[in-house]
């Protein structure tokens, strides 16, 4: 069964540095997402991406964050000037369709980001 | 805004049936999802409801009442591997893809 793959599985970075989290969505999917989950807390929506542009973003997704689809397969989340509170598990997800659909979002295994 | 409530923890016995409730208050409604999440792993899709009623899928069933802002996930013939967190998530009308998750219900299945 096709999977969403994320790399790296664990990223350790010094506060203030930039990180890029990588995702390869399922190949025939058109909608891509980033979520984060701080340890012990709920999964939080960050951003959705369709047709090479952001379609929605949450209040968490401020100027510190950006997303990109640099080629036909990768979907990246960049976090600039990382802060301690950015430490979390970051999940990438993709879905075949979006609105008014029972197509679920398929999640990758996540990247655990640790900011020191 | 979006508010999703579900119990934080439940315990049930292997072989039994357990019902996990979820209530929501959202600005509009475009579907409710249930996901399973084992500790340290990604959420995996279980079910989707957009119309009132019961959706059955093997040992798992999910019910929705839109007028009451209420859903439940029913797990039958519990197995030890069902020990996990169960996440209720709602897609509101504020956007087409944004899904708001509840905190999750941590289910422990005991022998």
């Amino acid at each position: 069964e096709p999977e969403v793959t994320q790399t790296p599985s664990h990223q350790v970075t010094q506060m203030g540095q930039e990180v890029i989290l990588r995702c390869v969505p399922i190949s025939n999917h058109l909608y891509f997402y980033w979520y984060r989950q701080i340890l012990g807390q709920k999964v939080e929506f960050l951003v959705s991406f369709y047709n090479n542009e952001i379609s929605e973003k949450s209040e968490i997704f401020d100027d510190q964050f950006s997303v990109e689809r640099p080629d036909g397969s990768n979907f990246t989340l960049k976090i600039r000037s990382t802060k301690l509170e950015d430490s979390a598990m970051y999940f990438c997800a993709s879905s075949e369709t979006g609105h008014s659909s029972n197509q679920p979002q398929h999640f990758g295994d996540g990247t655990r980001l640790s900011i020191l | 805004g979006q508010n999703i409530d579900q119990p934080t923890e439940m315990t049930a016995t292997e072989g039994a049936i357990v019902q996990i409730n979820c209530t929501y208050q959202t600005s509009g409604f475009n579907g409710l999802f249930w996901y399973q999440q084992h500790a340290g792993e990604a959420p995996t899709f279980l079910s989707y409801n957009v119309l009132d009623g019961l959706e059955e899928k093997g040992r798992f069933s999910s019910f929705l009442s839109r007028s009451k802002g209420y859903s439940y996930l029913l797990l039958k013939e519990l197995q030890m591997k069902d020990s996990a967190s169960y996440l209720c998530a709602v897609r509101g009308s504020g956007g087409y893809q944004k899904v708001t998750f509840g905190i999750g219900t941590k289910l422990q299945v005991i022998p």
Side-chain angles (χ1 to χ4, degrees):
Chain A
E1 186 174 327
E3 293 181 340
V4 175
T5 56
Q6 291 186 242
T7 54
S9 56
H10 192 187
Q11 175 80 46
V12 181
T13 302
Q14 291 289 331
M15 186 172 58
Q17 297 297 305
E18 173 182 288
V19 294
I20 297 177
L21 310 182
R22 291 182 165 78
C23 170
V24 178
I26 295 173
S27 61
N28 66 330
H29 285 187
L30 301 177
Y31 292 81
F32 315 124
Y33 315 84
W34 282 102
Y35 291 85
R36 79 173 184 190
Q37 187 174 29
I38 296 170
L39 187 63
Q41 298 187 24
K42 63 181 179 180
V43 175
E44 299 175 291
F45 171 84
L46 293 178
V47 66
S48 62
F49 191 87
Y50 170 71
N51 199 28
N52 283 319
E53 60 182 23
I54 291 173
S55 51
E56 290 177 66
K57 60 183 181 179
S58 71
E59 59 277 5
I60 302 169
F61 194 89
D62 58 21
D63 292 344
Q64 186 192 3
F65 295 88
S66 62
V67 290
E68 193 178 29
R69 188 158 165 80
D71 53 46
S73 60
N74 290 284
F75 179 52
T76 62
L77 174 69
K78 182 188 289 185
I79 309 175
R80 290 178 281 274
S81 300
T82 49
K83 300 173 283 195
L84 294 177
E85 53 265 38
D86 294 327
S87 295
M89 182 74 92
Y90 287 81
F91 291 109
C92 174
S94 69
S95 63
E96 198 170 333
T97 57
H99 180 56
S100 297
S101 165
N102 65 350
Q103 294 300 313
Q105 297 176 16
H106 295 264
F107 283 74
D109 288 338
T111 293
R112 181 168 298 283
L113 178 63
S114 300
I115 306 298
L116 304 179
Chain B
Q2 321 278 58
N3 190 41
I4 298 172
D5 291 311
Q6 48 182 136
T8 54
E9 292 182 351
M10 297 182 71
T11 302
T13 306
E14 190 177 14
I17 299 172
V18 70
Q19 178 174 314
I20 303 174
N21 297 321
C22 171
T23 57
Y24 61 89
Q25 301 90 39
T26 59
S27 49
F29 179 81
N30 273 315
L32 185 145
F33 298 85
W34 283 95
Y35 283 85
Q36 180 190 61
Q37 186 178 31
H38 284 98
E41 297 183 11
T44 55
F45 171 75
L46 291 177
S47 68
Y48 172 78
N49 295 72
V50 68
L51 299 176
D52 290 352
L54 189 68
E55 294 282 339
E56 296 187 79
K57 191 185 287 186
R59 293 190 300 115
F60 295 76
S61 304
S62 57
F63 171 83
L64 175 68
S65 169
R66 288 172 295 171
S67 62
K68 295 181 180 177
Y70 168 69
S71 173
Y72 67 73
L73 179 70
L74 195 71
L75 292 77
K76 304 174 187 175
E77 301 170 16
L78 278 174
Q79 302 174 8
M80 299 300 291
K81 67 178 183 179
D82 296 329
S83 293
S85 287
Y86 291 85
L87 316 181
C88 175
V90 175
R91 182 163 56 201
S93 64
Y96 292 125
Q97 295 94 37
K98 179 180 177 181
V99 174
T100 301
F101 283 81
I103 188 68
T105 298
K106 187 174 181 180
L107 173 67
Q108 183 180 15
V109 180
I110 58 177

